[in-house]
Amino acid sequence: MFTDREFFMRSHGQVRFLTISAILQKRVFYTVAAALGFWLLITLAMMVNQLTVTGERMALAQKEAEVNSTESRVADYKASIEDVAADLKQRQDVLDQMTEQFVGEQPEAAESSAQKQTDEQLSENTRKISAAFPEAARLAELEARQIKFARRLTMAAIQRTQQAEEAIRKFGLNPEKLSKNSMAAMGGPLIPFFNGKDQHLHPTLERLNLALQRMDALERTLIAIPSGKPSSTGMISSSYGYRRDPFTGGGAMHSGIDFKGPRGLPILAAAGGKVTHAGWKSGYGKTVEITHGNGLMTRYAHLSKIGVTAGQKIEQGIQLGAMGSTGRSTGTHLHFEVRLNGRAINPRPFLEANTDVLKIKAIARQRANSPKRNESGADRG
């Protein structure tokens, strides 16, 4: 490409020679090529820089859009928190009013050091949340109210448990043994209360749950105790305990109380339960036996007729039959027995329950028979 070149030039009859050497050609070529390459590099650098600036502008615009969207979502979330907090506060106000109406004011109990420490920690958490996220302050305050609310319910459950225990003891029974019997037969499929992995309740709710379970067990035990009059007659012809047998004249143990009355007088169930015997029984004549749970059973003997059948579930005060003199009997009367785990016990404490005991039992029965409790599956499978 690069050789010496000569050019002829004629002008006014004269010929001139122009020589371009190979070295000059190379210098010109490399100079032009270098200038062109430098220009291309500058152009490429400018294009890259422009593309970079454009990309940065687009990224910045996208970030600005994300920030604006995040701020919008945060604003919506804050507004949502306020709405939720207001709704929850209104519900808690209603719960407080309902508790005060149906449970009543509970006496203030001396707080333990653990409870005081928990209150201090809760207050500190509330202050921290309020300082870091003011919109959540109402939720933190609501949490504190709910914990106090749970404690109130726990105190109410403990108070009712103590009342039920006292009432059971007045019947001459041991509340601990009877409540254990009521919890002995339980079962059913495992259905976790929470969907997450942690199945543990908050300690405050756990204490409330245990208090309510114990209250429920003792009140159901109290409901099963016979306390109604089996007959309208108040004339007792023979008491529980030692007596002379009316047929042999010798000493004998009388396992119940005999109520004297006219033939056909209605005989009533002393408590709700299930009829486990309705028919003839040797020595007792026509007899009805009702199982009340927790090992308690009542027996109604010497009836003239029976108005219930075995397997039938009955409530307190339902007529079981009529007074008579069937079986080993010297005259028209009702033989009434109360048995605990198959052993006869004195029925008199059950028949002489005072008004306070009956009132506690009526409250427990009202709770046990409430529609909400029945719908929630109060009966254990």
Side-chain angles (χ1 to χ4, degrees):
M1 291 179 60
F2 304 102
T3 59
D4 293 338
R5 301 180 186 275
E6 292 182 353
F7 296 92
F8 296 95
M9 301 180 62
R10 186 186 298 271
S11 176
H12 304 287
Q14 295 181 354
V15 177
R16 297 179 180 180
F17 297 94
L18 178 63
T19 303
I20 301 176
S21 65
I23 295 174
L24 180 60
Q25 294 180 35
K26 289 180 181 180
R27 288 176 180 176
V28 173
F29 174 79
Y30 287 129
T31 301
V32 173
L36 181 61
F38 183 70
W39 178 79
L40 290 175
L41 287 176
I42 292 176
T43 303
L44 181 61
M46 293 178 62
M47 293 178 62
V48 170
N49 183 60
Q50 186 176 2
L51 291 174
T52 303
V53 171
T54 302
E56 290 178 351
R57 289 178 178 177
M58 293 179 63
L60 182 60
Q62 184 177 0
K63 288 183 179 180
E64 290 179 353
E66 291 178 355
V67 169
N68 293 334
S69 177
T70 302
E71 291 179 350
S72 177
R73 289 198 301 269
V74 169
D76 293 341
Y77 182 62
K78 290 179 179 179
S80 176
I81 287 180
E82 293 178 356
D83 293 340
V84 171
D87 186 45
L88 291 177
K89 181 181 181 301
Q90 184 178 8
R91 295 183 188 181
Q92 188 63 41
D93 291 339
V94 175
L95 287 175
D96 289 338
Q97 293 175 3
M98 292 174 63
T99 302
E100 184 176 350
Q101 178 180 357
F102 294 102
V103 178
E105 291 291 340
Q106 300 302 316
E108 293 291 337
E111 292 187 348
S112 63
S113 58
Q115 289 179 339
K116 291 182 179 179
Q117 185 177 1
T118 301
D119 289 342
E120 292 176 358
Q121 183 178 0
L122 182 62
S123 300
E124 181 65 21
N125 292 339
T126 302
R127 286 193 294 270
K128 289 181 179 179
I129 293 174
S130 301
F133 197 12
E135 290 77 9
R138 296 180 67 183
L139 292 178
E141 294 173 358
L142 181 61
E143 180 189 18
R145 282 188 61 187
Q146 288 181 343
I147 290 178
K148 292 180 181 179
F149 177 76
R151 286 182 182 172
R152 283 187 62 196
L153 291 184
T154 302
M155 291 299 299
I158 292 174
Q159 185 180 42
R160 288 183 58 162
T161 299
Q162 294 172 347
Q163 292 175 347
E165 287 179 340
E166 183 180 356
I168 293 172
R169 288 193 180 95
K170 288 184 179 180
F171 285 111
L173 301 173
N174 188 329
E176 295 296 332
K177 291 183 178 180
L178 291 179
S179 62
K180 288 181 180 179
N181 290 338
S182 68
M183 301 293 288
M186 298 174 62
L190 173 62
I191 303 176
F193 190 79
F194 299 104
N195 293 327
K197 294 182 180 179
D198 188 5
Q199 299 295 324
H200 299 286
L201 290 174
H202 186 280
T204 302
L205 297 180
E206 181 66 23
R207 287 191 292 270
L208 173 59
N209 180 47
L210 294 176
L212 290 175
Q213 285 185 1
R214 178 164 175 76
M215 180 195 75
D216 180 67
L218 285 171
E219 287 193 343
R220 285 189 291 107
T221 299
L222 179 61
I223 294 171
I225 296 176
S227 60
K229 302 290 184 181
S231 174
S232 60
T233 179
M235 186 179 298
I236 297 178
S237 56
S238 182
S239 298
Y240 173 85
Y242 175 82
R243 71 173 184 178
R244 288 187 176 276
D245 186 80
F247 289 92
T248 65
M253 175 64 189
H254 188 225
S255 58
I257 293 179
D258 292 341
F259 294 90
K260 184 179 180 181
R263 180 180 176 84
L265 188 69
I267 304 302
L268 311 176
K274 183 179 180 180
V275 178
T276 50
H277 179 83
W280 189 271
K281 198 175 188 70
S282 178
Y284 292 96
K286 293 182 179 180
T287 304
V288 173
E289 294 178 353
I290 303 175
T291 299
H292 307 283
N294 302 326
L296 286 168
M297 184 267 283
T298 52
R299 178 178 290 164
Y300 312 79
H302 307 307
L303 306 181
S304 61
K305 64 178 181 178
I306 296 174
V308 293
T309 58
Q312 181 178 346
K313 291 184 178 181
I314 59 172
E315 300 292 336
Q316 179 177 326
I318 296 297
Q319 183 173 350
L320 306 176
M323 187 177 291
S325 185
T326 57
R328 195 171 183 269
S329 171
T330 59
T332 304
H333 73 286
L334 167 68
H335 174 82
F336 176 67
E337 285 186 20
V338 177
R339 290 183 170 266
L340 177 62
N341 297 324
R343 182 177 61 86
I345 57 178
N346 189 357
R348 189 174 291 276
F350 301 93
L351 301 174
E352 296 177 351
N354 59 37
T355 305
D356 293 337
V357 172
L358 296 179
K359 182 179 179 180
I360 295 173
K361 185 174 181 180
I363 294 174
R365 184 184 295 110
Q366 182 180 10
R367 181 189 66 85
N369 295 333
S370 64
K372 290 292 183 182
R373 176 175 171 82
N374 295 333
E375 291 174 4
S376 63
D379 296 335
R380 288 175 168 83

